[in-house]
Amino acid sequence: MKGRIYRRCHCVDHNRRPLGTNCPQLADDKHGTWSFAVDLPSLDGKRKTMRRGGFATKREAQAELKKVHERVDSSVKTDDRETVAQYLIKWLGEKRHTLKPRTLFGYSEFVHKRINPHIGTIKLEQLRHEHVVRLVDTLIEEGRGPSTIKSVLAVLRSALSDAVRHKRLTHNAAQHVQPPAYRAPERQPWTAAQAAQFLDHIHGDRLAPLFEVLIGTGLRRGEVLALQWEDVDLDNRILRVRRSVTDVKGKLVIGAPKTKASAGWVGLSTRMVAVFERQRANQGAERAMWGEAYEDNDLVFARENGAMLRPEYVLKRFHALSETAGLPLVRLHDLRHLAASLMLQNGVPLPLVSKTLRHSQVSITADLYGHLSPEAAHAAADALGGVLDAAAAELRSERAARRATDLRPESMV
C-alpha cells in the first residue's frame, strides 16, 4: 500500500471532457493542484481506492498520504468524510442495546441539542482538543450550568473513547478538556424530628405508606413504584428489589434497578412491616370497590384502580404535603439521604449502611452520605472534648499527687 502522488487540473478539452493529468499546461509548476491515490484494505478483499486532491504543494499531498499510512499501519479505520454528528448518531444507535431508556434519552438530548449544533459538522478525524475547548466556551456563553457542561463532556468523552477502542480514532480529543469548576450544593435532609412531623401530618393520606417506606427503607422512588407484593416477605421481614420504573418522554418504562448491586434484598423493621400490612388492607378495600375494573398488576403502591403511579405525580404530591406541613422542600431522593444519615448518626457502621442502600462500594456511601450533620458534628466534638478533658483531669491528679509527696516532711517519708 504505497500509493501515488500526482498533479492534475480542472481544464477541459473542446468536448468539455476533463483533461485531468493529461493537460499540457501541467508542464508549468504553477498550474493545477496535487493529489494522491492509495489502495486501502477492505473486509471483502476487493480493492478500495482512496483519492484526495486539491493540495497546493506536493509536500502537502505527501503529508496527508503519510497520515493515511500511519492509520492503516495502526489498524485504525480511515474515513475522512464522516462528521462528528454522523459518528455520534451512529454511536447512539449502538448504545440503545446497552443503556437504560432514560440514560439513552439523556445522551440523545446532549448529542442533538448541545454537541452536534456546535461541532457536528467537523470531520471526526479532524476533531481536536481545541474544538472541544471551544465547545465548552460556547456552552458557557449560552448560560449552561457547570453541571450540564460536565455531563455533555462526559457523553462526548465516552463516545470518543469508544471510537479509540474500536480503532476508529487514534486519540480522544475530549480526554483532557476540563469542565468549569463546579461544586455540588450540599443538601441538608430533614432531621428525624422533621420526618416525624411530616409523617404525623400526612397520617390518613392515601400515599402516606409510600412516603413512610421511602424514609424507612432508603429505597429509590423508581424502585418503590415498581415494587410488587411477590417481592415482599413480611414473615421474614425482607423485601427484594428486582425492578425500577422511569418516565421517558411521558412513557413509563420498567427495567432493572439502577446498578447490578441495586438488585438485592432490604431488611424491614417491625414498623415497616406494620406499614406494609396497612397498605395491603387499604389496597384490598380499593380492589373491592373497583371490582372487575381493577387493574391487578400486583403492585404494592398503585393508583386507586391498580394502575402504576407516575413518578412526577408522586413528587408533586410529596411537595404539596411538605408545604402544608410547614417543612422545607426537599427532593424525594433526599428521603434516601435522610435514611442514610439517620442510620449513620445512630451508630450503624458505614459498611452496613452501604449494604442497606445497595451501593456497589462503601466509598460511594461515604462520599454521598458520610458528611456530618450538625447533630453528628456536635456529638463527635463532644466525644473528642470528653477524651481531652479526661486526659487533662488525669494529668492534674498525677501532678497533685506528686506535689503532695514532695511537700511531706522528711521524717514522714
Side-chain angles (χ1 to χ4, degrees):
M1 191 200 75
K2 293 183 179 180
R4 63 190 183 90
I5 296 174
Y6 55 92
R7 194 151 51 93
R8 59 170 298 152
C9 68
H10 297 288
C11 295
V12 295
D13 61 17
H14 62 280
N15 292 319
R16 309 301 296 174
R17 296 175 184 171
L19 292 175
T21 58
N22 299 317
C23 179
Q25 297 186 63
L26 288 177
D28 182 357
D29 291 342
K30 295 182 180 181
H31 186 72
T33 58
W34 288 90
S35 302
F36 72 80
V38 60
D39 291 338
L40 300 178
S42 62
L43 294 177
D44 56 11
K46 296 181 180 179
R47 188 174 72 174
K48 180 181 178 182
T49 303
M50 177 182 183
R51 293 183 176 86
R52 297 293 182 267
F55 301 103
T57 65
K58 183 177 182 180
R59 180 173 296 180
E60 289 180 10
Q62 289 174 328
E64 290 302 315
L65 177 59
K66 182 180 178 182
K67 290 179 182 179
V68 174
H69 277 287
E70 290 173 348
R71 294 178 66 86
V72 172
D73 291 343
S74 301
S75 299
V76 176
K77 179 183 176 182
T78 298
D79 182 359
D80 60 356
R81 290 178 177 168
E82 184 179 33
T83 65
V84 171
Q86 290 170 336
Y87 168 75
L88 290 178
I89 292 171
K90 181 175 66 177
W91 177 75
L92 286 173
E94 295 171 351
K95 284 294 181 180
R96 74 181 186 276
H97 302 298
T98 56
L99 294 178
K100 293 182 179 179
R102 189 171 182 83
T103 304
L104 179 63
F105 174 72
Y107 280 22
S108 299
E109 289 288 286
F110 286 139
V111 166
H112 292 297
K113 295 183 179 180
R114 304 287 176 259
I115 301 176
N116 284 350
H118 300 300
I119 62 173
T121 58
I122 298 173
K123 297 295 188 289
L124 180 65
E125 293 176 8
Q126 295 176 5
L127 185 66
R128 299 291 179 264
H129 173 91
E130 294 75 17
H131 294 132
V132 184
V133 170
R134 192 168 64 206
L135 169 65
V136 171
D137 292 339
T138 302
L139 293 175
I140 293 174
E141 293 171 1
E142 290 179 348
R144 310 300 171 191
S147 179
T148 297
I149 297 175
K150 181 179 179 181
S151 298
V152 169
L153 269 180
V155 171
L156 180 59
R157 193 177 292 123
S158 176
L160 297 181
S161 292
D162 282 348
V164 173
R165 279 194 294 272
H166 300 156
K167 295 293 185 178
R168 178 64 187 85
L169 291 177
T170 58
H171 69 286
N172 185 338
Q175 183 175 359
H176 300 295
V177 177
Q178 296 298 319
Y182 171 69
R183 183 176 181 180
E186 184 174 321
R187 298 186 178 275
Q188 187 60 49
W190 286 342
T191 63
Q194 289 173 317
Q197 179 182 338
F198 175 75
L199 294 175
D200 180 71
H201 174 75
I202 67 173
H203 182 72
D205 187 89
R206 188 177 176 280
L207 293 186
L210 186 154
F211 295 128
E212 186 159 1
V213 167
L214 285 171
I215 295 173
T217 63
L219 292 179
R220 300 176 179 91
R221 175 178 58 178
E223 295 168 347
V224 168
L225 296 183
L227 190 65
Q228 295 180 308
W229 282 111
E230 68 173 2
D231 303 324
V232 182
D233 184 350
L234 297 183
D235 292 332
N236 292 307
R237 295 202 293 145
I238 62 171
L239 65 80
R240 293 176 177 83
V241 179
R242 293 191 175 105
R243 311 186 309 165
S244 184
V245 61
T246 54
D247 189 331
V248 181
K249 299 179 69 174
K251 180 181 179 181
L252 295 181
V253 179
I254 299 174
K258 183 177 180 180
T259 64
K260 185 178 180 179
S262 297
W265 61 271
V266 176
L268 300 175
S269 66
T270 54
R271 178 188 178 104
M272 285 298 101
V273 170
V275 172
F276 277 104
E277 289 176 341
R278 188 167 70 250
Q279 172 63 12
R280 179 176 282 168
N282 295 341
Q283 201 173 65
E286 292 176 344
R287 183 183 287 107
M289 182 178 66
W290 280 79
E292 294 183 358
Y294 188 82
E295 298 181 24
D296 195 351
N297 298 306
D298 196 38
L299 293 170
V300 176
F301 301 103
R303 298 165 63 181
E304 292 88 340
N305 66 346
M308 180 169 281
L309 286 162
R310 300 195 71 85
E312 192 61 27
Y313 168 76
V314 175
L315 175 62
K316 289 181 179 178
R317 185 61 183 160
F318 173 63
H319 282 166
L321 292 170
S322 301
E323 188 172 4
T324 57
L327 293 168
L329 293 184
V330 296
R331 304 172 304 169
L332 262 178
H333 194 74
D334 287 331
L335 297 185
R336 178 173 167 86
H337 197 156
L338 169 64
S341 298
L342 293 180
M343 283 188 283
L344 291 170
Q345 289 172 23
N346 287 275
V348 179
L350 186 62
L352 186 54
V353 174
S354 183
K355 286 291 184 182
T356 301
L357 298 176
R358 290 158 293 116
H359 286 153
S360 58
Q361 298 177 359
V362 176
S363 59
I364 296 176
T365 313
D367 290 342
L368 291 176
Y369 306 111
H371 70 281
L372 289 176
S373 67
E375 296 84 357
H378 293 154
D382 290 342
L384 177 58
V387 172
L388 293 175
D389 288 344
E394 184 177 354
L395 179 60
R396 287 195 298 270
S397 177
E398 291 177 355
R399 286 178 176 173
R402 200 178 302 121
R403 282 198 302 270
T405 302
D406 294 341
L407 292 174
R408 290 180 187 177
E410 192 171 314
S411 59
M412 298 179 60
V413 177

